[in-house]
Amino acid sequence: MRRIPINIYEYAGQILEQLPKGILLSTSADGKMDTMVIGWGTMGTDWGLPVFTVFVRQSRYTKVLLDKNPEFTINVPLKDADVRRIIGFCGTKSGRDYDKFKEMDLTVVPGEKVSAPAIGQFPITLECKVIYQQDQDAAAIPAEIKKRYYPTGDYHTAYTGQIINAYLLVGE
């Protein structure tokens, strides 16, 4: 597949519109890859740098890989793509138990500036290097949010990744 460089600010609306429907966060470490569905995240500017911040629960296999190798890709489908089956599988199965890339026949495209993969079926790709991370402070989260999103106490770590490359995957 070919990479066509994109201006992240021109694609920001499309990325953020797709986010609550589900996009993929992909990681790689120790010869293993994983991808997970995220529906929360922020895109913007921190310290004068373009960034994407993701939130990964403490229990996730993706967190294990991300802590070993602080690089990730954000993989976003095009507006008209039907990726419900992929989102459904990757959002409910753990990379500890399944090779999601194999199970869903995902097209793995090596990252250009990071070791995490891009995914052909989700052609809008942001390559990110973690520049900051922080575990959530449970005491600072309002009670109603804790009750709804953290009934088991499985909090998130926020990873802020500097967007170091952005492109659209096209062709075969």
Side-chain angles (χ1 to χ4, degrees), residues 96-167:
R96 285 184 182 96
D97 305 319
Y98 296 90
D99 179 340
K100 297 176 194 178
F101 294 90
K102 182 179 176 184
E103 295 284 338
M104 291 289 99
D105 196 26
L106 297 177
T107 304
V108 175
V109 178
E112 190 171 48
K113 295 184 179 180
V114 298
S115 59
I119 299 173
Q121 292 86 342
F122 290 68
I124 301 169
T125 304
L126 306 178
E127 294 187 359
C128 303
K129 287 194 177 192
V130 175
I131 56 173
Y132 180 76
Q133 73 183 66
Q134 183 170 347
D135 293 339
Q136 289 181 313
D137 177 359
I141 299 172
E144 67 267 6
I145 292 176
K146 267 200 248 188
K147 183 178 177 182
R148 180 173 180 189
Y149 293 105
Y150 304 104
T152 65
D154 189 15
Y155 293 98
H156 289 90
T157 298
Y159 295 90
T160 299
Q162 178 183 354
I163 302 168
I164 61 167
N165 200 13
Y167 48 85

Side-chain angles (χ1 to χ4, degrees), residues 23-24 38 44 57 62 72 78 95 97 100 135 137 153 158 170:
I23 63 177
L24 297 178
I38 60 171
R57 288 191 188 271
T62 299
F72 62 91
L78 297 177
D97 305 319
K100 297 176 194 178
D135 293 339
D137 177 359
V170 294

Side-chain angles (χ1 to χ4, degrees), residues 25-30 32-35 52 54 56 62-75 110-118 126-133 159-164:
L25 161 65
S26 300
T27 57
S28 177
D30 297 337
K32 298 178 182 175
M33 296 183 300
D34 192 34
T35 190
F52 199 101
V54 297
V56 182
T62 299
K63 184 179 185 336
V64 172
L65 297 181
L66 197 48
D67 286 344
K68 287 181 180 179
N69 179 21
E71 301 176 344
F72 62 91
T73 56
I74 295 298
N75 317 111
E112 190 171 48
K113 295 184 179 180
V114 298
S115 59
L126 306 178
E127 294 187 359
C128 303
K129 287 194 177 192
V130 175
I131 56 173
Y132 180 76
Q133 73 183 66
Y159 295 90
T160 299
Q162 178 183 354
I163 302 168
I164 61 167

Side-chain angles (χ1 to χ4, degrees), residues 46-60:
D46 286 352
W47 305 295
L49 303 170
V51 297
F52 199 101
T53 300
V54 297
F55 299 87
V56 182
R57 288 191 188 271
Q58 300 290 325
S59 64
R60 299 294 189 244

